[in-house]
Amino acid sequence: MAIVVRLDVMMARRKMSLNELSARVGVSVTNLSLLKTGKAKGVRFSTLEAICRALECQPGDLLEHEEDSQ
Amino acid sequence: MSARLLRALVNLLLGLALGFLVVAAAILVGAPLLGEPLLSQWPVLAPQPDPAWQVSVAGIEAAVTLGQGVLSVEHSGYGWHWALRVVDFAISGALLMVGLWLLRRFTGEVGDGLPFSSGSAKRLRWVGLILVAFPLWQALRDLLWHTMLKGELSQQGLALVSPFQSQTSNAFQLQLSVDWGFAVTGLLLLVVAEAFRVGVALREENEEII
């Protein structure tokens, strides 16, 4: 996948657990887990905004583009 | 119409159909035992009225034109007539019951607020296929009957031709008693089922977006 989600890195920096983030953002732990492991197909702007607000970061801190290895 | 009312209606239809099939099965099995004949009917066309039916009265000429009618056949015992009726009963009854059962499941899912599931789309498609298959079976059944009746009744002096044979002056042409409205409804349902399938795919994709 070309877009890599760095949610785990930001959560570790903010010392925030998945349960706490789930409560703050209003997204289920299951869905956050899918997002963290890169299994989600996409993320809504509203979800991204809520996560950025909770983790006090920018979208660029959470998403990263990587070239596909052939 | 609410989903609950629809489900109640389908349940009622299912019950009525089941009752009808039980009574029909009892008649089908019991009539030959009791020596009662079973009646089968097909529409027939007379291509050209017989000249013998025309009458001339002084001043006016009148003609009786027998253009169409009904061929009624009474048959008794457990012969091939009975076997064909049993096969017809089994296939038509099975199509009816399976179709209504699938419709019942579908209306249940709609009532539960889960119409866009892969199961409901599949069920709707099967109901559509059953509706398309039913008139095809009716046509096949009639052609089987026609083939057998032509052989039997021509020996008795009654000239019959099948729906696809050219008409002769003194022969009655058997017609198919097929309701193509079922096929049209079935095709419409197949289109709706395809729309449901696309809806299911969209819902599943939407669920994967967080």
Side-chain angles (χ1 to χ4, degrees), chain A residues 11 14-29 32 50 54-55:
Chain A
M11 283 168 62
R14 301 288 185 255
K15 294 182 173 56
M16 196 180 286
S17 69
L18 208 57
N19 283 325
E20 192 183 344
L21 185 64
S22 168
R24 285 191 185 196
V25 174
V27 174
S28 70
V29 175
L32 280 180
L55 293 175

Side-chain angles (χ1 to χ4, degrees), chain B residues 14 22 25 30 32-33 38 47 50 87 103 117 129 131 151 161 170 180 202:
Chain B
L14 195 67
V22 168
L33 279 175
L38 292 168
D50 195 307
V87 172
L103 211 56
S117 67
L129 286 173
L131 283 172
V161 292
N170 60 347
W180 294 108
L202 282 173

Side-chain angles (χ1 to χ4, degrees), chain B:
Chain B
M1 196 180 284
S2 71
R4 188 180 292 180
L5 190 64
L6 261 177
R7 192 174 189 185
L9 207 63
V10 173
N11 278 337
L12 180 70
L13 273 176
L14 195 67
L16 285 173
L18 191 65
F20 171 78
L21 287 177
V22 168
V23 171
I27 291 172
L28 200 57
V29 173
L33 279 175
L34 299 170
E36 291 289 326
L38 292 168
L39 185 70
S40 301
Q41 293 182 318
W42 293 270
V44 286
L45 287 180
Q48 292 165 18
D50 195 307
W53 299 331
Q54 291 191 351
V55 273
S56 290
V57 183
I60 57 164
E61 190 168 305
V64 177
T65 305
L66 183 65
Q68 57 186 12
V70 175
L71 172 70
S72 299
V73 179
E74 281 189 11
H75 38 89
S76 49
Y78 291 106
W80 65 262
H81 296 101
W82 184 80
L84 205 49
R85 286 191 73 135
V86 169
V87 172
D88 181 24
F89 171 79
I91 292 177
S92 301
L95 289 176
L96 176 71
M97 291 308 290
V98 171
L100 283 174
W101 179 257
L102 290 172
L103 211 56
R104 182 182 180 275
R105 294 277 306 271
F106 177 74
T107 49
E109 283 164 341
V110 172
D112 295 340
L114 298 166
F116 289 104
S117 67
S118 58
S120 66
K122 209 177 287 179
R123 272 183 268 284
L124 211 55
R125 188 163 62 244
W126 272 109
V127 174
L129 286 173
I130 285 172
L131 283 172
V132 170
F134 186 61
L136 295 178
W137 159 243
Q138 283 183 316
L140 180 69
R141 173 202 63 192
D142 279 5
L143 290 175
L144 279 172
W145 271 108
H146 292 173
T147 309
M148 294 181 173
L149 285 174
K150 272 191 320 183
E152 281 197 352
L153 295 178
S154 62
Q155 291 169 3
Q156 309 298 320
L158 181 62
L160 289 170
V161 292
S162 73
F164 309 110
Q165 277 180 307
S166 58
Q167 299 171 337
T168 52
S169 60
N170 60 347
F172 288 99
Q173 188 181 43
L174 287 157
Q175 300 294 298
L176 298 174
S177 55
V178 175
D179 192 347
W180 294 108
F182 282 113
V184 175
T185 312
L187 286 174
L188 282 173
L189 264 186
L190 286 176
V191 173
V192 173
E194 184 58 20
F196 259 74
R197 195 192 60 74
V198 173
V200 170
L202 282 173
R203 186 187 59 77
E204 283 173 355
E205 196 175 302
N206 191 45
E207 278 176 359
E208 287 175 20
I209 296 173
I210 294 158

